[in-house]
Amino acid sequence: MRSNTVNILKIGMKKISPCFIFLTVAATFTLLLIFSTQSVQAQSSVSQAEVIPGQYLGAKITTHPDWFKESFLEFEEDIAEATEAGKRLVIYFHQDGCPYCNKLVEDNFNNPAILTKMQSDFDLVAINLWGDREVIQIGGNTFTEKTLAQALDVDFTPTLVFFNENKEVALRLNGYYPVVEFDYALDYVSGRMEKEISFPDYVAEFKKDKQNGELNQQEWILTAPYNLSELPESKPFAVLFEEPDCVNCNLLHSRTFANPDARNLLDLFQVVQLNRWSNTPVTKPDGKQTTATAWAKELGLGFSPAIVLFDSNGDKLFVIDSMLKSFHILGIFDYISSGAYQSEPDLQRYLSERAEHMISAGQDVNIWEY
């Protein structure tokens, strides 16, 4: 278009009055502006049309085994029946498409040793995180499945709540535990140990060789001395409780933290890394002195790696104490750093909305990859 305009202006230029030249130039620029605007609008339409929504990947359909208890969802009655049979009641929160629930059922419950323990020592009742069936909780209060999940602050699926004979919670697992760690939990609860020893102390008996050894190194992790009461107040902070020779700890660093989106999120935090089985001195956000292992036990952590997130004032906001993959871990970091937790108390809803936003922007969302 530019070369044609030049030719139009050159034709008979010596015979054209200055006024006409001005009008011609003005008209030409007007045409150019119109054509340019139309071109931009057309490009914008094409650009918008070219944004192909991403895909949602990683969801898994799970069929629950027939040995799960058929319940009228009256928990006091279920506890009484389990007690009479020499068992304990487990409430299992799940949701459709949850790959962690699928792994619990397909891996853990198909492990011969775990299957035997589950069937002989426990009655398991499944609760849909978004379900509408009526549930009568201990104490006689009535809920739906989803309002019970909200009342119990269920942020992860699977969440398993183990009850003892006195209608008390003997242990709660917030998220998926792989076979070995899950087996520890079953032995702890079936052995009626909750009155004698905490679960973290029980797990520590199997981790005595983990007190020394190298953790994964990252340049952005703060180094000793660990005085969390004197961290700058401009950023929230994350404490990574890890252990040496830990498969899931290695995956956290080599895959999740290597994700292209991870660094921008991690830069919004001050990150501290502790060997959860060591006696490394730590000053907690409230100024109290402790050690890494004592603090992990105080927090009730049973899994490695565990991640505890604090706001910039040192107030604990969120605990990750189970196996999670990249979408969920980074989503939780985003949940805290963005301040979304202040307006949206439901983590699952926030993660769902985050996934929808990413998909609409053309990104694939795979909830089951590192």
Side-chain angles (χ1 to χ4, degrees):
M1 182 175 291
R2 185 175 300 168
S3 60
N4 290 339
T5 303
V6 172
N7 291 334
I8 290 171
L9 293 176
K10 283 184 176 179
I11 294 173
M13 183 158 298
K14 292 182 180 179
K15 298 180 180 179
I16 299 174
S17 69
C19 180
F20 185 77
I21 292 174
F22 173 79
L23 292 173
T24 303
V25 172
T28 302
F29 275 102
T30 300
L31 288 172
L32 280 171
L33 180 61
I34 293 170
F35 292 152
S36 176
T37 302
Q38 290 175 340
S39 175
V40 169
Q41 290 174 341
Q43 290 176 2
S44 177
S45 295
V46 171
S47 177
Q48 290 177 358
E50 288 177 350
V51 177
I52 301 172
Q55 299 183 69
Y56 184 81
L57 307 168
K60 296 180 183 291
I61 304 302
T62 303
T63 301
H64 290 151
D66 56 12
W67 54 263
F68 280 18
K69 179 181 173 65
E70 290 292 335
S71 169
F72 291 109
L73 304 184
E74 296 184 17
F75 290 164
E76 290 194 9
E77 182 179 304
D78 288 331
I79 289 172
E81 290 177 359
T83 300
E84 185 176 353
K87 300 181 178 183
R88 286 185 152 181
L89 177 68
V90 188
I91 303 301
Y92 155 55
F93 289 91
H94 66 92
Q95 60 181 318
D96 294 341
C98 167
Y100 302 95
C101 303
N102 182 268
K103 193 164 183 63
L104 175 72
V105 171
E106 298 294 333
D107 284 13
N108 296 33
F109 292 162
N110 279 325
N111 177 279
I114 286 178
L115 178 61
T116 297
K117 292 174 185 179
M118 288 301 305
Q119 292 180 317
S120 63
D121 298 334
F122 300 96
D123 281 343
L124 186 147
V125 174
I127 298 291
N128 188 332
L129 186 73
W130 307 109
D132 293 315
R133 292 185 299 169
E134 184 176 274
V135 179
I136 301 178
Q137 169 65 304
I138 295 168
N141 293 324
T142 300
F143 298 85
T144 63
E145 292 171 285
K146 62 187 174 188
T147 58
L148 176 64
Q150 292 167 0
L152 296 179
D153 293 324
V154 176
D155 289 314
F156 303 100
T157 53
T159 286
L160 293 99
V161 184
F162 297 81
F163 289 95
N164 64 20
E165 299 72 27
N166 298 320
K167 306 172 189 176
E168 301 165 334
V169 175
L171 181 65
R172 174 168 163 164
L173 302 181
N174 296 307
Y176 174 71
Y177 273 42
V179 169
V180 172
E181 290 83 357
F182 190 74
D183 200 31
Y184 294 156
L186 295 187
D187 288 344
Y188 176 77
V189 178
S190 64
R192 275 72 175 165
M193 297 182 186
E194 71 273 7
K195 298 294 186 182
E196 303 172 14
I197 186 174
S198 70
F199 183 58
D201 280 328
Y202 176 76
V203 174
E205 294 297 315
F206 302 93
K207 302 286 187 175
K208 292 179 179 177
D209 62 334
K210 303 286 189 180
Q211 294 180 7
N212 300 301
E214 293 295 322
L215 302 178
N216 289 276
Q217 302 297 311
Q218 301 281 4
E219 61 181 11
W220 38 264
I221 292 177
L222 300 177
T223 56
Y226 303 110
N227 187 343
L228 277 61
S229 66
E230 294 185 356
L231 292 179
E233 295 183 358
S234 58
K235 290 183 179 181
F237 58 94
V239 182
L240 313 179
F241 288 90
E242 303 184 45
E243 62 185 47
D245 302 318
C246 164
V247 171
N248 287 293
C249 302
N250 294 341
L251 288 169
L252 175 69
H253 288 268
S254 66
R255 304 294 293 278
T256 299
F257 288 163
N259 185 292
D261 296 328
R263 188 56 192 267
N264 289 336
L265 284 170
L266 291 167
D267 282 345
L268 301 174
F269 288 81
Q270 302 166 94
V271 183
V272 174
Q273 180 190 51
L274 300 172
N275 179 345
R276 58 168 301 168
W277 307 116
S278 74
N279 292 316
T280 301
V282 179
T283 302
K284 297 188 298 181
D286 60 7
K288 294 181 180 178
Q289 304 292 317
T290 188
T291 64
T293 187
W295 196 20
K297 292 176 184 178
E298 177 189 328
L299 291 165
L301 305 178
F303 186 78
S304 297
I307 305 174
V308 185
L309 300 168
F310 299 82
D311 67 14
S312 58
N313 296 318
D315 294 325
K316 185 177 67 175
L317 298 177
F318 211 88
V319 178
I320 302 172
D321 187 30
S322 62
M323 191 200 88
L324 290 179
K325 295 194 176 182
S326 296
F327 171 77
H328 288 91
I329 291 176
L330 298 182
I332 293 168
F333 272 81
D334 190 30
Y335 182 59
I336 300 301
S337 64
S338 67
Y341 68 93
Q342 296 173 318
S343 58
E344 175 53 82
D346 192 317
L347 172 66
Q348 290 291 339
R349 291 189 187 280
Y350 173 78
L351 292 177
S352 178
E353 291 170 1
R354 183 174 186 263
E356 289 175 6
H357 176 76
M358 294 168 68
I359 289 168
S360 66
Q363 288 182 262
D364 290 341
V365 172
N366 191 332
I367 62 174
W368 195 239
E369 73 173 0
Y370 281 107

